[in-house]
Amino acid sequence: MADRLAMDEVVEFTSDLIRLDTTNRGGGDCRERPAAEYAAARLAEAGLAPVLLERTPGRTNVVARVEGTDPSADALLLHGHLDVVPAEAADWSVHPFSGEVRDGVVWGRGAVDMKNMDAMILAVVRAWARAGVRPRRDIVIAFTADEEASAEDGSGFLADTHPELFEGCTEGISESGAFTFHDGLGRQIYPIAAGERGTAWLKLTARGRAGHGSKVNRENAVTRLAAAITRIGAHEWPLRLTPTVRAALTELAALYGIDTDLGDVDRLLEKLGPTAKLVEATVRNSANPTMLDAGYKINVVPGEAVAYVDGRYLPGGEEEFRTTLDLLTGPDVDWEFHHHEVALQAPVDSATYAGLRAAVEEFAPEGHVVPYCMSGGTDAKQFSRLGITGYGFTPLKLPEGYDYQAMFHGVDERVPVEALHFGVRVLDRFLRTA
Ligand SMILES: [Zn+2]
């Protein structure tokens, strides 16, 4: 069903969306409206009835429903964000908002994160409209604002105030999985995301006795804070295997012909070589001190000192994370959540996971599909409040030497046209048979 026109359109739409600058600088500094209107117009041309929704003027979301043939089937959510992170034009080889297609590659901010997927969704449903195809399940399409900041104007707003638009949705598909991971030994692996670590951005506050810098001070807030963040930074978090990571390690060990010794995961990771990258960030919680703020004059001991820590916890790992932070910060330093998001876990023995896997295997028979857990988070966290289980699935067949992970928020973000074509074929195949 993915016809010739769909192949042209996915490239055109990716370029066009990149040219509509939706840079999200945080703090509300972003305007997704032009991209939302563009996406809504493409959906309307396919006979759908998209609605535009805003919590804040200019921060526009788009939702549309494709009616399936089986009204008793659960609906499926297909979502992609419209905003992008900032790009400094001087650092780039091609202007980041040019959407230029050069030597078979589309360049620009959002080419991978994630205007490519937005364009793939549009190209597929328009091809269906031309061919008269209807999926079995209802498919709800959501293009969201504000994923790159708080999601308060985007998926969070939609989940809180418009749950009726997602009626019947039990599962969701979005960034970022089903891309080609080359292991450097000739194997091609396609990781499909079936989980996300939770977000625990922390604010630490140490209090002490303010005073003259030349006097004895055993209640120095800066010293107390420094001791706490040193303990946090040096902490060795214990290994914890979630079902998704356990499945990933078992399948990878089989693929490499290594003993599946889940009792010695560090050694197993070592044996996996470069492929360990797919799992190493998700076998334990983590907490990285990232910002410090204390004092105003060299000869004055301040009464307070503040630090920020980027913490991430595994599905099922939140309580351990909290109690560990209590211990590491100690009695003189308080900690609180600066920003807090849930961890997600999706089953890898579901019919949907099997369908995602089969769609990739059909068009990349040389590839090995494995589940993985994302180390960070996506809009799927917000939609999980509506009981929607999220999978990361933005299919892209990528050539060796192309560093997919480096494209996210990176300089010279770009995507091969061939990868977009593969994505349209795989997405179409999955959605028609879901
Ligand atoms: Zn993204």
Side-chain angles (χ1 to χ4, degrees):
M1 284 317 120
D3 56 13
R4 192 62 241 165
L5 184 53
M7 297 302 158
D8 293 341
E9 284 192 345
V10 71
V11 178
E12 179 190 330
F13 296 166
T14 303
S15 278
D16 287 351
L17 285 167
I18 289 169
R19 275 195 287 274
L20 298 167
D21 182 350
T22 52
T23 299
N24 190 344
R25 291 183 179 79
D29 183 0
C30 181
R31 198 166 172 275
E32 290 91 349
R33 179 128 199 139
E37 285 175 347
Y38 179 92
R42 301 292 83 77
L43 293 173
E45 286 163 3
L48 300 175
V51 286
L52 275 65
L53 303 123
E54 291 180 340
R55 169 179 174 264
T56 307
R59 309 301 309 274
T60 318
N61 300 272
V62 183
V63 182
R65 186 177 285 250
V66 180
E67 267 189 50
T69 53
D70 179 359
S72 69
D74 293 329
L76 179 75
L77 171 63
L78 200 52
H79 59 102
H81 60 84
L82 294 169
D83 59 330
V84 295
V85 294
E88 201 58 62
D91 300 335
W92 286 55
S93 318
V94 169
H95 194 281
F97 298 101
S98 66
E100 189 178 325
V101 185
R102 185 187 285 187
D103 301 328
V105 176
V106 188
W107 291 69
R109 178 58 86 220
V112 164
D113 186 13
M114 61 176 293
K115 288 175 169 173
N116 57 337
M117 177 65 162
D118 299 337
M120 279 154 50
I121 294 169
L122 292 172
V124 167
V125 298
R126 288 162 63 89
W128 287 356
R130 287 191 293 277
V133 169
R134 278 175 68 194
R136 186 178 69 88
R137 301 167 75 168
D138 271 17
I139 292 176
V140 175
I141 296 166
F143 295 118
T144 61
D146 205 23
E147 195 271 348
E148 297 291 3
S150 68
E152 282 171 19
D153 281 311
S155 53
F157 156 70
L158 293 176
D160 287 342
T161 59
H162 294 282
E164 73 287 352
L165 295 172
F166 304 94
E167 178 90 49
C169 289
T170 52
E171 293 164 316
I173 303 298
S174 191
E175 60 183 331
S176 52
F179 55 92
T180 323
F181 176 88
H182 293 269
D183 74 348
L185 302 164
R187 288 189 195 82
Q188 298 176 29
I189 296 167
Y190 287 81
I192 293 176
E196 297 182 3
R197 291 202 301 173
T199 310
W201 291 345
L202 314 177
K203 181 183 181 187
L204 271 55
T205 307
R207 292 196 175 79
R209 184 165 52 81
H212 200 291
S214 71
K215 306 292 183 197
V216 174
N217 190 329
R218 306 211 188 281
E219 300 150 75
N220 184 321
V222 175
T223 309
R224 286 173 169 177
L225 183 79
I229 61 166
T230 300
R231 287 191 295 268
I232 291 169
H235 184 64
E236 298 279 350
W237 293 87
L239 195 89
R240 300 282 183 249
L241 293 185
T242 63
T244 298
V245 173
R246 187 174 288 272
L249 285 171
T250 305
E251 290 183 31
L252 287 171
L255 177 61
Y256 284 81
I258 302 168
D259 276 351
T260 316
D261 183 3
L262 297 180
D264 190 355
V265 169
D266 285 320
R267 190 163 159 69
L268 177 55
L269 288 175
E270 219 169 274
K271 287 189 188 164
L272 286 175
T275 305
K277 248 189 256 168
L278 294 174
V279 270
E280 67 190 3
T282 56
V283 295
R284 38 175 64 92
N285 293 336
S286 63
N288 274 316
T290 48
M291 301 199 315
L292 291 169
D293 185 13
Y296 53 92
K297 195 165 185 299
I298 195 163
N299 59 353
V300 178
V301 177
E304 190 179 289
V306 170
Y308 292 86
V309 173
D310 182 344
R312 310 283 174 149
Y313 59 88
L314 296 168
E318 183 172 354
E319 193 170 328
E320 181 179 33
F321 184 88
R322 286 172 181 265
T323 51
T324 305
L325 255 295
D326 285 343
L327 285 171
L328 293 173
T329 49
D332 300 325
V333 179
D334 293 328
W335 71 270
E336 62 187 308
F337 287 117
H338 177 66
H339 185 73
H340 182 206
E341 299 280 2
V342 293
L344 302 179
Q345 174 79 45
V348 294
D349 56 358
S350 65
T352 295
Y353 181 80
L356 295 169
R357 174 180 202 132
V360 171
E361 285 171 345
E362 182 173 333
F363 294 97
E366 71 290 358
H368 304 277
V369 176
V370 298
Y372 87 116
C373 178
M374 286 191 236
S375 61
T378 72
D379 273 343
K381 291 189 185 316
Q382 311 299 327
F383 290 121
S384 74
R385 297 209 292 273
L386 301 175
I388 299 171
T389 300
Y391 291 97
F393 190 77
T394 298
L396 294 173
K397 188 176 170 65
L398 300 165
E400 190 145 24
Y402 172 97
D403 190 349
Y404 175 78
Q405 297 296 350
M407 295 297 154
F408 284 79
H409 304 190
V411 169
D412 284 344
E413 184 178 349
R414 60 197 184 276
V415 67
V417 165
E418 283 302 321
L420 294 172
H421 289 174
F422 172 83
V424 167
R425 291 190 186 102
V426 174
L427 197 61
D428 167 65
R429 160 70 161 75
F430 165 70
L431 293 173
R432 274 191 293 115
T433 52

